[in-house]
Amino acid sequence: MNVLVINAGSSSLKYQLINVETHTLMAKGICERVGSAEAFHKHGLDDNEVVIDAKMADHDDAMALVLESLVSGQDAAIASLSEIDAVGHRIVQGGKYFDRSVLIDDDVIAKIDELAELAPLHNGAALMGIHACMKHMPGIPMVAVFDTSFFTTLPPKAYMYPLPYELYEKYAIRKYGAHGTSHRYISERAAVVLDEPLEDLKLITLHLGNGCSASAIDHGVAVDTSMGLTPLDGLMMGTRCGAIDPAIVPFVMEHENLTAEEMNNLMNKQSGLLGISGVSNDLRSVRTASEEGNERAMLAYDMFSNSVKKYIGQYIAVMGGVDAIVLTAGVGENCDKMRRMIFSGLQPLGIVLDEEKNRHRGFERIISTDDSAVQIIIIPTNEEYMIARDTYEIVHDQMVGIQP
Ligand code: AMP
């Protein structure tokens, strides 16, 4: 079964065509700056990638280009659109409605729309992607895979905020988490690498990319996570501040004369590694600057690693121990220096990084010492594969008449 995975952002549309039975990535690409004069389309696998300037007024135009590129040229991934069996959509916010992936129908679309208040940029874009697919591939089965559904197992003591209870009742203000598909994937893969059932393990999963989040997964069940009502909470990130004293918000708004939207922008786009270093949101540039003696870049590095270290401590306390710590995404997978800083000083907790293994590059691997009580594992994330797999399972079950 060939599944087209769509990840629609506010001005982008990422896609992969995956054959789920053979685990083959058949095509991938991204339309960027959709709706602007600088719109462009990258399409192709690795060395065969081409970048084309293309006019895209909206996601509908972008989807038409994507489908055209899948069937045209001598490297066409498929001969005709009828070879696409189903579409899987990444949806950021599933709120209280979706504790698992679902087949998309009118009711699901209405609920995704209703939840857009909690994720205006993301859910709105996903709906544009869904409508564009309905237009260009009428009748094709589509599945919604939610970033939040992995965290619907959080107990109330983890997802409630200590605010007046009425705010929860009136606006559904609570922790929903994000990056759930990534945390689900790396926890499953970690169990395979450790050759133990996921249900027997206490895991801390760390998704450290431009966006960062940590989760506590106790015997296969997510019990806490660092992102909150929105993906701004928790760890320090590339441009996001993560958790700060909430009283800072009205203080800065008053003193800098900022609107709520400007304050939101400051915390989401001008903070984190970028805000502290003044150099970049990209850890590679911050690393270079810190190695050249830039003190603010050094501070940003220190703060980032300290922020992750504190979540490791929290989640060990929440679960009463940990068997393995799993890292993924750009920083988690690639930055040996950051990993060294995160795990330095954690030896008394039985967490011992192997300096030599930490330096190696490669695919899934254990980087703790052989006698470390807690394993440290790197798992390159693959959210698209999870979306394709969920889509396959739901559409396949529907075809053979199995009710969920
Ligand atoms: P992602 O959001 O998963 O694409 O991750 C992006 C982040 O990973 C950026 O901050 C990059 O600087 C960082 N990153 C990627 N490769 C490396 C590397 N080799 N060393 C340090 N940071 C890296």
Side-chain angles (χ1 to χ4, degrees):
M1 181 187 280
N2 295 332
V3 175
L4 180 62
V5 175
I6 299 291
N7 181 354
S10 51
S11 63
S12 67
L13 193 142
K14 257 197 243 176
Y15 59 94
Q16 287 193 3
L17 183 63
I18 298 172
N19 183 300
V20 184
E21 282 118 338
T22 60
H23 287 222
T24 314
L25 175 60
M26 301 164 72
K28 67 171 186 171
I30 182 167
C31 295
E32 288 203 62
R33 304 195 191 169
V34 176
S36 88
E38 293 88 41
F40 64 92
H41 177 196
K42 270 192 220 168
H43 176 82
L45 297 172
D46 304 327
D47 295 346
N48 290 324
E49 186 179 83
V50 287
V51 183
I52 318 141
D53 286 333
K55 284 202 173 22
M56 290 171 251
D58 51 28
H59 284 67
D60 193 43
D61 286 355
M63 184 59 69
L65 281 174
V66 169
L67 297 178
E68 177 63 28
S69 62
L70 292 174
V71 294
S72 50
Q74 59 190 127
D75 294 326
I78 45 176
S80 101
L81 292 182
S82 62
E83 290 177 45
I84 301 177
D85 299 295
V87 181
H89 291 271
R90 177 199 176 203
I91 316 285
V92 164
Q93 183 54 262
K96 61 181 178 199
Y97 295 125
F98 301 107
D99 63 357
R100 67 198 67 196
S101 304
V102 292
L103 199 65
I104 296 178
D105 59 16
D106 289 347
D107 181 51
V108 170
I109 290 176
K111 289 196 167 99
I112 294 171
D113 192 23
E114 182 191 322
L115 292 165
E117 197 182 14
L118 295 172
L121 294 181
H122 292 103
N123 274 30
L127 282 173
M128 288 193 269
I130 291 171
H131 288 301
C133 285
M134 285 161 86
K135 177 172 166 194
H136 296 285
M137 291 178 282
I140 193 152
M142 296 197 288
V143 167
V145 179
F146 301 91
D147 270 17
T148 47
S149 60
F150 185 57
F151 300 119
T152 52
T153 52
L154 259 55
K157 66 181 176 188
Y159 72 66
M160 288 299 290
Y161 292 111
L163 289 165
Y165 197 82
E166 296 74 45
L167 292 178
Y168 168 66
E169 293 176 318
K170 239 165 124 178
Y171 305 112
I173 291 179
R174 50 158 284 181
K175 180 186 284 249
Y176 292 102
H179 291 151
T181 310
S182 176
H183 288 277
R184 180 157 62 107
Y185 177 78
I186 64 171
S187 57
E188 285 185 14
R189 288 302 311 165
V192 173
V193 169
L194 292 170
D195 197 18
E196 286 190 54
L198 186 56
E199 294 70 31
D200 289 352
L201 293 167
K202 293 178 180 181
L203 299 175
I204 296 174
T205 48
L206 302 169
H207 180 114
L208 307 178
N210 203 22
C212 301
S213 57
S215 295
I217 303 173
D218 198 355
H219 297 86
V221 176
V223 292
D224 208 347
T225 193
S226 60
M227 283 179 167
L229 174 71
T230 74
L232 179 59
D233 198 6
L235 293 162
M236 173 176 174
M237 313 183 208
T239 59
R240 285 172 254 172
C241 57
I244 56 170
D245 178 349
I248 295 169
V249 177
F251 182 95
V252 174
M253 285 175 74
E254 266 171 44
H255 287 75
E256 294 280 310
N257 203 14
L258 300 183
T259 63
E261 193 186 340
E262 287 165 339
M263 187 65 205
N264 210 18
N265 193 50
L266 181 148
M267 294 186 291
N268 274 290
K269 306 253 171 76
Q270 300 163 30
S271 301
L273 288 173
L274 173 68
I276 293 297
S277 70
V279 174
S280 172
N281 64 311
D282 191 303
L283 191 71
R284 281 165 292 201
S285 310
V286 178
R287 179 174 179 163
T288 308
S290 73
E291 286 165 1
E292 286 165 1
N294 181 322
E295 288 190 4
R296 277 175 52 186
M298 286 185 218
L299 175 62
Y301 230 94
D302 264 354
M303 287 173 66
F304 188 99
S305 60
N306 203 41
S307 160
V308 179
K309 210 189 267 276
K310 286 196 279 194
Y311 269 95
I312 293 174
Q314 272 191 44
Y315 289 165
I316 290 176
V318 164
M319 294 190 287
V322 62
D323 297 306
I325 300 173
V326 193
L327 297 107
T328 197
V331 175
E333 288 168 34
N334 300 307
C335 192
D336 57 336
K337 179 175 171 182
M338 185 57 80
R339 290 193 300 256
R340 216 168 47 240
M341 290 173 68
I342 290 169
F343 294 109
S344 78
L346 299 189
Q347 293 85 348
L349 300 175
I351 305 168
V352 190
L353 184 74
D354 184 313
E355 294 281 338
E356 188 54 37
K357 291 182 198 160
N358 185 42
R359 271 194 289 275
H360 290 175
R361 294 195 156 248
F363 196 57
E364 295 177 343
R365 61 202 189 275
I366 295 177
I367 56 166
S368 43
T369 57
D370 293 343
D371 58 0
S372 176
V374 178
Q375 309 285 301
I376 307 171
I377 312 174
I378 295 180
I379 307 279
T381 195
N382 196 341
E383 292 159 276
E384 289 79 10
Y385 169 73
M386 283 306 262
I387 295 172
R389 199 187 74 182
D390 279 8
T391 304
Y392 169 82
E393 284 172 359
I394 289 172
V395 171
H396 180 265
D397 283 359
Q398 197 215 18
M399 283 183 336
V400 296
I402 299 173
Q403 296 301 316

